[in-house]
Amino acid sequence: MTAETTILLVRHGETPWNRAGRIQGWAPTRLTDRGRQQASRLGQVLAAEYDIDRLVSSDLSRTRETTAQIRQGGVDATPVFDRSWRERHMGIYQGFTREDLHARFPSFAIENGAVALEETPEGGEAFGELYDRIQTGWSQLCDDADSETVVVVTHGGPITVVLAALKGQDLITAVEEHHISNCSVTAVRPAKNDILRENVQPFDNPSDS
């Protein structure tokens, strides 16, 4: 990795569960029409603004679909699908709204601090496990990138983890502070911990349909 290495962290496009406020985790959700338009427009911007060398994506349905739309928008790179960039697995609670989950199982609410970070949903993973998984994937990506510009299509949780590490934040503060938008870009120069763009949607958001 050199000072020129640039990593563009992209959250997937909008899904029906995003609209409904439902926890997706590893569920096989697809994009809405708006989500597909977001991803296509983002692809046009990325192709115009960056010379992209590599395209890495979480292997879940919504990120695969986002990646396909980004390529249709003009990003000419063959994607590599990497499960280490998946969202936190919420097990049996996938499909709950966050409000319902916290009302029925308050220990999952981030306001409870360390308790929430250690809570493991049945069939899923604790937030600390997500953190370790993303840190491993991030370190490997940075080690492999040599003066490259790499797009990583992922999810809100993994982007929050990376931002927490770059800013030296604890996870509780990071989760409370960061709310990552669909098809936003967070651009990082990891060699210097420089955050060039954070949670920016660099296009006119499509109308709701």
Side-chain angles (χ1 to χ4, degrees):
M1 179 176 62
T2 68
E4 292 74 32
T5 301
T6 303
I7 298 177
L8 309 173
L9 298 165
V10 171
R11 189 186 177 203
H12 60 81
E14 181 194 75
T15 72
W17 282 23
N18 286 147
R19 286 191 178 184
R22 297 189 181 279
I23 297 169
Q24 295 180 98
W26 291 7
T29 53
R30 304 299 298 270
L31 302 187
T32 60
D33 287 343
R34 186 186 193 199
R36 285 186 286 274
Q37 291 179 56
Q38 288 173 331
S40 180
R41 292 184 185 184
L42 178 59
Q44 294 171 15
V45 172
L46 294 178
E49 294 187 359
Y50 297 95
D51 184 10
I52 295 167
D53 300 292
R54 277 201 285 154
L55 180 56
V56 177
S57 174
S58 156
D59 65 343
L60 295 176
S61 299
R62 58 194 184 273
T63 40
R64 284 180 177 271
E65 192 172 0
T66 300
T67 296
Q69 292 295 322
I70 286 174
R71 295 187 73 210
Q72 286 189 16
V75 173
D76 184 20
T78 301
V80 173
F81 296 99
D82 184 349
R83 64 182 291 120
S84 67
W85 286 99
R86 288 183 174 195
E87 183 60 279
R88 179 185 177 188
H89 190 2
M90 288 300 292
I92 63 172
Y93 302 125
Q94 290 172 178
F96 278 54
T97 65
R98 206 162 297 280
E99 291 76 15
D100 285 346
L101 176 64
H102 294 172
R104 294 177 61 180
F105 307 100
S107 58
F108 282 96
I110 200 66
E111 292 81 7
N112 289 308
V115 172
L117 298 181
E118 295 170 1
E119 194 70 63
T120 304
E122 183 180 338
E125 61 184 345
F127 206 103
E129 292 177 287
L130 169 70
Y131 182 88
D132 291 343
R133 170 162 60 80
I134 297 304
Q135 283 293 87
T136 298
W138 175 252
S139 296
Q140 185 63 57
L141 180 66
C142 292
D143 287 344
D144 291 344
D146 185 12
S147 300
E148 291 181 305
T149 298
V150 184
V151 175
V152 180
V153 183
T154 183
H155 310 265
I159 296 173
T160 297
V161 166
V162 172
L163 286 171
L166 292 172
K167 295 181 178 183
Q169 292 178 318
D170 63 84
L171 280 176
I172 297 167
T173 300
V175 171
E176 290 178 333
E177 178 177 311
H178 298 108
H179 302 280
I180 310 300
S181 302
N182 292 116
C183 277
S184 64
V185 178
T186 295
V188 175
R189 287 250 173 94
K192 296 184 178 180
N193 272 17
D194 285 344
I195 301 172
L196 308 177
R197 298 169 107 166
E198 182 177 330
N199 192 32
V200 174
Q201 281 184 323
F203 53 85
D204 291 331
N205 217 5
S207 59
D208 200 1
S209 60

